[in-house]
Amino acid sequence: MGDAHVFEGNRLSLHYRLGDVDVPALSDIDFQIEAGKFTCLAGPSGSGKSTLLNLLGLIEPMQKGNLLYFGTPVAALSEKQMNHIRRHEIGFVFQNFYLIDVLTAEENVEYFLSRQGIPAAERTKAAGRALEWVGLSDHRGKRPQQMSGGQRQRVAIARALAKRPKVILADEPTANLDSKTGLSVLELLRKACSEQGHSVIMASHDLQAIGLADRVIRLRDGRRAEDV
Ligand SMILES: Nc1ncnc2c1ncn2[C@@H]1O[C@H](COP(=O)(O)OP(=O)(O)OP(=O)(O)O)[C@@H](O)[C@H]1O
Ligand SMILES: [Mg+2]
């Protein structure tokens, strides 16, 4: 192991089927994503960003091409190994936060950790540490409705970070936020790379997000567009 690339894709393709219609979401893309960096998958709506993120998160089954995770072909991983990676090594952040309404910030993070099989004794500590890191210690007893959008997204980031994953995958994490709040969320994600060593890969067409990333991979119609 010790591969400098968290992911490498070679001629990756993925087609969806909609009834009789074949939808080419990704067509023969090649890419390398460096570990410990803040990478943005950019491109217009429908260009394949979420599809690629779901492939990287081992959510969407591989169809064609080769995907390496820290140098290991994903196709060679057993279901057990994939589950281990999903549970312990990859954290997700979504546009709509996906917090549980009836639980407080702290309970949201703890509940998620319990679902990931983290022992009870560690959960409280890990949740407290993650909420502190995102600056929400004072709000840990609030439920999602009692928080602003930016605070909710920070809870979601704390939830993803609490298990100390190697990789954070974020799908349009700023899409439901105003630009100032979005910027604070982006800076937090960037700090997750620089201070905590996580590899953060974010899908976004937000210009602020593209501007803050270490590296931008541009997609258009399921293909690589020119990088910047
Ligand atoms: N489950 C699905 N079934 C059929 N087609 C799909 C499915 N999911 C996505 N697609 C299609 O695949 C293509 C890529 O979609 P994808 O969601 O990856 O784009 P995106 O870049 O994330 O767009 P957005 O910025 O709107 O989120 C689009 O043409 C989309 O309509
Ligand atoms: Mg998308």
Side-chain angles (χ1 to χ4, degrees), residues 118-126:
I118 312 286
E122 283 175 38
R123 278 179 231 148
T124 313
K125 228 172 124 187

Side-chain angles (χ1 to χ4, degrees), residues 29-72:
I29 62 163
D30 294 319
F31 58 87
Q32 294 180 323
I33 298 177
E34 265 179 86
K37 292 278 164 69
F38 188 17
T39 301
C40 181
L41 308 177
S45 180
S47 58
K49 304 181 297 295
S50 296
T51 303
L52 179 52
L53 217 52
N54 290 340
L55 269 176
L56 301 182
L58 312 183
I59 290 173
E60 188 67 62
M62 292 264 300
Q63 290 178 357
K64 219 168 138 243
N66 195 21
L67 176 65
L68 303 178
Y69 173 67
F70 287 107
T72 302

Side-chain angles (χ1 to χ4, degrees), residues 160-175:
L161 286 174
K163 64 179 178 182
R164 295 185 179 274
K166 293 183 183 168
V167 185
I168 305 262
L169 301 177
D171 198 353
E172 309 273 2
T174 59

Side-chain angles (χ1 to χ4, degrees), residues 46-105:
S47 58
K49 304 181 297 295
S50 296
T51 303
L52 179 52
L53 217 52
N54 290 340
L55 269 176
L56 301 182
L58 312 183
I59 290 173
E60 188 67 62
M62 292 264 300
Q63 290 178 357
K64 219 168 138 243
N66 195 21
L67 176 65
L68 303 178
Y69 173 67
F70 287 107
T72 302
V74 167
L77 296 171
S78 67
E79 196 51 47
K80 198 175 160 207
Q81 287 171 314
M82 291 216 263
N83 273 330
H84 179 90
I85 293 169
R86 287 188 203 105
R87 278 186 170 204
H88 299 286
E89 302 188 8
I90 299 181
F92 280 93
V93 175
F94 302 95
Q95 170 176 349
N96 296 324
F97 324 132
Y98 291 128
L99 299 173
I100 299 169
D101 288 344
V102 296
L103 300 181
T104 64

Side-chain angles (χ1 to χ4, degrees), residues 18 44 54 113 134 144 155 162 211 227:
L18 258 185
N54 290 340
L113 291 174
V134 302
V155 174
D227 289 359

